[in-house]
Amino acid sequence: MKKYCFGVDVGGTTVKIGFFNVDGTMLDKWEIVTNTDNGGEAILGDICKSLDDKLAKENIQIDEVKGIGIGLPGPVLSDGTVLQCVNLGWGKLNVEEKLSSMFHGVTVKAGNDANVAALGEAWKGGGKDYDDVVMITLGTGVGGGIIVDGKIVTGHHGAGGEIGHANVDHHETEACNCGNRGCLEQYASATGIVRMAKKELAASGENSVLRDAGEISAKAVLDAFKENDPVAVATMEKVGEQLGGALAIICCVTDPETIVVGGGVSKAGQPLIDCIRKYYREYAFESCKDTPIVIATLGNDAGIYGAARMVL
Ligand code: ZN
């Protein structure tokens, strides 16, 4: 009888592990340190040991385990091959085959971490009970995931859902981390918001709490935005326009039931959503104008939920 599964979310500093029963209830969760020494060669072994320890502690036999889902910080092909995980020190590796061979031949499903988090939010979070969801994650960078018919759109190159690198300004002169110019991430990530605020401060004569703040953070901009600081409002209007416009294009492609906004920037809450929605409604195709835009609800657990979902 298959009664249990694991959802694993591998990050550059910690590996989050969730232990689930097959009806999708999380029974326990914990973290282990990501050991990136020597090209991250110990990471999968450390995960196996942690899972074995859990099974021993709960007195669970391996044939009761349905599988392991694992989210990884890099592009993942549909056969479970990662091309490169810079933060882990990994090159090309078929994680599904490797981890399965290391862990008693159990079924393993691997996906990109942002895509897997989107699946988690579509399953148990902000997009709960929807099969067609677009999630955008506004953190240090901008990530995303596209869920169609309850499944992750991985794409041929593992680049499905890379919403952060959608080109939204064809005249941008500064370069994105990816080498292109004009990616959404350059405007809507935490670092992008700071960049936009600095530009706005330089161009504007308005008083602003940001002007005397010294080093500006995205949180400072968002806090000032909520207090109607004119420079922060002007900044976030531009950010909201880029986000709303990009989401309107994506909705012409997959027409989701809901759009979920996650990541650290989404802590700004409803004022941020309202700002995005204003421009989304302006640019979206008529049929899609009322698509709800909601905030992610699972926080750091989205990845382990989505990982578990891949094997259930
Ligand atoms: Zn880019």
Side-chain angles (χ1 to χ4, degrees):
M1 243 317 248
K2 306 291 186 194
K3 293 183 195 161
Y4 306 101
C5 75
F6 291 102
V8 180
D9 183 15
V10 183
T13 51
T14 61
V15 179
K16 297 180 183 69
I17 301 173
F19 179 55
F20 294 81
N21 66 19
V22 288
D23 63 26
T25 305
M26 184 157 66
L27 304 170
D28 195 9
K29 64 170 175 173
W30 64 96
E31 291 183 9
I32 60 173
V33 172
T34 308
N35 180 357
T36 55
D37 293 347
N38 301 319
E41 63 180 12
I43 294 171
L44 290 178
D46 289 348
I47 292 169
C48 291
K49 179 172 185 318
S50 187
L51 303 189
D52 273 327
D53 288 350
K54 180 66 180 172
L55 295 180
K57 186 173 157 222
E58 302 287 341
N59 199 20
I60 291 167
Q61 305 306 310
I62 192 67
D63 58 8
E64 294 177 90
V65 177
K66 189 167 171 65
I68 304 168
I70 183 166
L72 297 157
V76 181
L77 304 184
S78 53
D79 71 347
T81 300
V82 298
L83 300 175
Q84 193 181 29
C85 289
V86 177
N87 294 342
L88 307 182
W90 290 1
K92 190 174 177 183
L93 175 70
N94 188 317
V95 176
E96 291 182 3
E97 285 176 7
K98 179 79 178 169
L99 184 56
S100 179
S101 73
M102 293 171 72
F103 196 75
H104 318 289
V106 162
T107 300
V108 176
K109 291 280 172 208
N112 165 267
D113 54 2
N115 289 351
V116 170
L119 184 63
E121 285 289 340
W123 184 37
K124 296 274 191 180
K128 192 174 187 303
D129 299 328
Y130 292 126
D131 286 332
D132 292 284
V133 173
V134 167
M135 180 170 176
I136 186 163
T137 306
L138 310 176
T140 313
V142 172
I146 294 167
I147 308 301
V148 173
D149 289 339
K151 293 200 172 66
I152 293 170
V153 176
T154 302
H156 182 68
H157 309 93
E162 284 288 2
I163 299 169
H165 300 285
N167 199 293
V168 295
D169 183 346
H170 306 310
H171 306 289
E172 176 64 55
T173 53
E174 291 178 37
C176 176
N177 288 328
C178 75
N180 286 352
R181 291 185 172 83
C183 294
L184 181 61
E185 181 167 297
Q186 289 181 269
Y187 311 91
S189 64
T191 41
I193 288 170
V194 170
R195 187 181 79 100
M196 297 294 282
K198 285 180 177 167
K199 282 187 153 187
E200 192 63 36
L201 276 174
S204 161
E206 297 267 14
N207 286 328
S208 169
V209 294
L210 299 173
R211 214 175 275 289
D212 313 311
E215 196 52 39
I216 300 169
S217 66
K219 183 173 185 306
V221 178
L222 292 161
D223 287 346
F225 165 62
K226 287 192 268 190
E227 298 296 324
N228 282 319
D229 179 274
V231 171
V233 168
T235 300
M236 291 312 296
E237 287 287 323
K238 288 181 180 155
V239 171
E241 179 166 25
Q242 297 290 26
L243 277 167
L247 290 169
I249 293 171
I250 290 159
C251 288
C252 283
V253 182
T254 67
D255 186 15
E257 293 166 280
T258 191
I259 299 163
V260 179
V261 182
V265 171
S266 73
K267 292 195 179 116
Q270 200 57 41
L272 172 72
I273 297 296
D274 292 343
C275 184
I276 298 170
R277 193 199 314 274
K278 179 170 99 180
Y279 290 100
Y280 173 79
R281 284 191 59 85
E282 186 176 335
Y283 297 129
F285 181 56
E286 186 63 32
S287 318
C288 306
K289 279 193 191 296
D290 293 324
T291 302
I293 303 175
V294 301
I295 293 178
T297 61
L298 298 178
N300 289 332
D301 289 346
I304 53 179
Y305 273 103
R309 180 62 174 163
M310 286 195 292
V311 291
L312 292 177

